[in-house]
Amino acid sequence: MGKVQLAPSMMCADIFKLGETIRLFEKLAVPYLHIDVMDGSFVPNIMLGTEAVRQIRQFSVIPMDIHLMIEEPGEKLEWFSPGKGDYVSVHAETTRHLQRVLAKIRSLGARPMAAVNPATPLPAIEEVFPDVDGVLVMTVNPGYAGQRLVPQVLEKIRRLRQTLDERGFEHVEIEVDGNVTMENAVKMRKAGADIFVAGTSLIFRPGNMEEHILGFNRDMQKI
Ligand code: DX5
Ligand code: ZN
């Protein structure tokens, strides 16, 4: 297992406070900004697009973790100018040529990640383990913030970590996305998760964001 990393979900941020929020993330050395791109087709919602990505990139050097919830992602990768240090995740459910899309992400200089919905079995991505640096396990059905954890995904994370390790892919990171509360994060970490998408359940919940982040880092170190 790799080290614990936090990836704030930027679609949950208050757009009127975006600048100061990102400066806080820089101060606290947050490793990734999680960017949810939704097309209203693969998922029933429309979220962050190319202009948001371009402006955030100009504003901050924090690497991006671009989560593409869009049909035919292979044709649209360049729209987001992925580069060194960025993760780009594509859903196994959105393309018939997953390996090709992952290889293209690598050729653009970014780190490829394969994503799976709660109902998608792990064999859908096992053949592309050599092509990824990470696997994104959706812990809710993608589309909206504020949903409840699909409980059987905890066992799925455990099985994925075990399969990766058995097959020589110990370096492949597991990211979890959806209803990452402090309580769920502990269970997800014990199951083998490394990167935690932090939305309304964690750092964008009411209260002080800096304290939420520091509290997360502190509590996760105890595990
Ligand atoms: C789900 C989104 C998540 C979500 C996480 O499609 O990718 O980023 O916003 O936030 P909460 O904690 O509200 O589930
Ligand atoms: Zn996401």
Side-chain angles (χ1 to χ4, degrees), residues 9 11 34-38 65 67 69 136 138 177-178 197:
S9 172
M11 73 174 231
H34 184 82
I35 309 284
D36 284 310
V37 181
M38 303 186 184
D65 168 32
H67 179 193
M69 287 162 278
L136 171 48
M138 285 306 306
D177 187 3
V197 177

Side-chain angles (χ1 to χ4, degrees), residues 17-173:
K17 294 184 189 157
L18 203 51
E20 56 186 277
T21 302
I22 293 174
R23 290 291 175 252
L24 174 68
F25 295 156
E26 289 170 349
K27 186 180 101 173
L28 299 177
V30 161
Y32 292 107
L33 301 178
H34 184 82
I35 309 284
D36 284 310
V37 181
M38 303 186 184
D39 66 356
S41 176
F42 174 59
V43 287
N45 195 3
I46 294 178
M47 271 294 159
L48 308 176
T50 53
E51 186 58 17
V53 168
R54 191 187 69 80
Q55 290 201 32
I56 294 171
R57 254 188 221 295
Q58 273 190 346
F59 186 79
S60 178
V61 295
I62 301 179
M64 288 189 171
D65 168 32
I66 301 176
H67 179 193
L68 295 177
M69 287 162 278
I70 60 177
E71 307 282 3
E72 295 304 334
E75 296 161 18
K76 296 153 193 153
L77 296 173
E78 288 94 338
W79 298 4
F80 300 93
S81 311
K84 201 171 174 328
D86 293 333
Y87 255 126
V88 180
S89 56
V90 289
H91 274 261
E93 305 87 359
T94 58
T95 172
R96 280 183 278 176
H97 305 290
L98 183 61
Q99 196 279 336
R100 178 185 289 157
V101 181
L102 294 167
K104 189 169 173 188
I105 294 168
R106 182 85 75 200
S107 76
L108 293 170
R111 309 181 71 193
M113 192 183 299
V116 279
N117 282 340
T120 303
L122 292 175
I125 53 161
E126 286 177 5
E127 301 302 329
V128 296
F129 284 167
D131 303 291
V132 299
D133 286 348
V135 175
L136 171 48
V137 178
M138 285 306 306
T139 45
V140 299
N141 287 290
Y144 302 103
Q147 303 182 82
R148 296 293 298 264
L149 177 78
V150 177
Q152 62 268 38
V153 298
L154 290 170
E155 162 58 22
K156 188 181 187 181
I157 297 164
R158 207 167 289 124
R159 216 172 336 115
L160 172 61
R161 184 71 271 161
Q162 193 182 345
T163 310
L164 285 167
D165 292 349
E166 281 171 5
R167 299 192 190 175
F169 299 99
E170 295 91 348
H171 61 284
V172 171
E173 298 181 303

Side-chain angles (χ1 to χ4, degrees), residues 16 30 184 222:
F16 296 106
V30 161
N184 287 338
K222 293 182 197 152

